[in-house]
Amino acid sequence: MSNCSNHKICIDSALSEAEKICQQKNIRLTEIRKTILKIIWQSHKATKAYDILDQISGMNFSAKPPTVYRALDFLLENGFIHKINSLNSYIGCPNPLQNDQCYFIICSSCDEIEECSDKGITNAIESVMNKNKFSHKNIAVEINGTCNNCLDNRK
Ligand SMILES: [Zn+2]
Ligand SMILES: [Zn+2]
């Protein structure tokens, strides 16, 4: 996918956005939460929980798995990261304040994931749920395939 030319900018803006939102909500982006958010933002690929545990234990943290999972829950609840169910892993959210209509496109060639937003998809799902008389809580749309970059590289 490689839609970003300078990934440091992605990381910096994600972290400062998270700091800002935490300040506004009066919640704390503790050292462990921040570190995990950084680990997840290392790339635009999804990160598995055990990779996070691995990296954390290589640092100066004495964080046990429950601490890491609690921090992941915090990051999920506040929209700083998303869970990619089909990969059982996590991805950083570039727009934590406006992530209610997102879907994910997942390139199985470069493993990068892009978060996209389209009200049309949400509207379609909502209308189908009404027909099913079902009150949905979460919508997670994950689309697997190949990004344009990877398609071009194959030619
Ligand atoms: Zn980037
Ligand atoms: Zn790709």
Side-chain angles (χ1 to χ4, degrees):
M1 218 103 59
S2 305
N3 288 330
C4 84
S5 47
N6 184 350
H7 190 55
K8 198 181 171 300
I9 295 175
C10 300
I11 301 173
D12 287 349
S13 78
L15 286 170
S16 65
E17 182 79 351
E19 298 266 20
K20 205 172 77 193
I21 293 169
C22 283
Q23 255 172 24
Q24 281 162 1
K25 289 185 172 176
N26 209 11
I27 47 180
R28 280 185 66 219
L29 192 64
T30 56
E31 206 49 41
I32 181 86
R33 291 167 174 171
K34 196 172 160 181
T35 305
I36 292 175
L37 187 59
K38 254 191 225 166
I39 292 174
I40 292 173
W41 266 104
Q42 272 165 359
S43 73
H44 290 284
K45 298 172 188 179
T47 311
K48 287 195 181 292
Y50 62 71
D51 287 329
I52 297 168
L53 282 165
D54 234 36
Q55 292 199 42
I56 289 279
S57 64
M59 297 173 185
N60 263 341
F61 279 106
S62 55
K64 299 205 163 50
T67 316
V68 171
Y69 282 105
R70 270 199 302 275
L72 282 170
D73 282 342
F74 170 88
L75 296 172
L76 281 168
E77 268 165 34
N78 289 287
F80 300 143
I81 59 170
H82 295 290
K83 185 161 188 190
I84 301 295
N85 294 314
S86 62
L87 300 172
N88 193 23
S89 47
Y90 304 90
I91 185 92
C93 175
N95 313 294
L97 290 177
Q98 31 175 298
N99 59 1
D100 49 338
Q101 284 146 4
C102 58
Y103 61 98
F104 299 94
I105 48 178
I106 304 166
C107 178
S108 45
S109 178
C110 65
D111 292 329
E112 290 200 0
I113 298 174
E114 196 183 340
E115 181 177 337
C116 314
S117 168
D118 187 302
K119 209 167 171 9
I121 288 193
T122 318
N123 289 346
I125 292 173
E126 275 170 0
S127 109
V128 171
M129 286 307 103
N130 282 338
K131 276 185 212 152
N132 285 297
K133 300 188 177 18
F134 186 81
S135 159
H136 65 275
K137 191 167 158 237
N138 281 307
I139 302 176
V141 181
E142 300 172 10
I143 301 161
N144 289 279
T146 315
C147 74
N148 253 338
N149 248 347
C150 291
L151 280 178
D152 285 347
N153 288 342
R154 270 185 216 168
K155 279 176 197 158

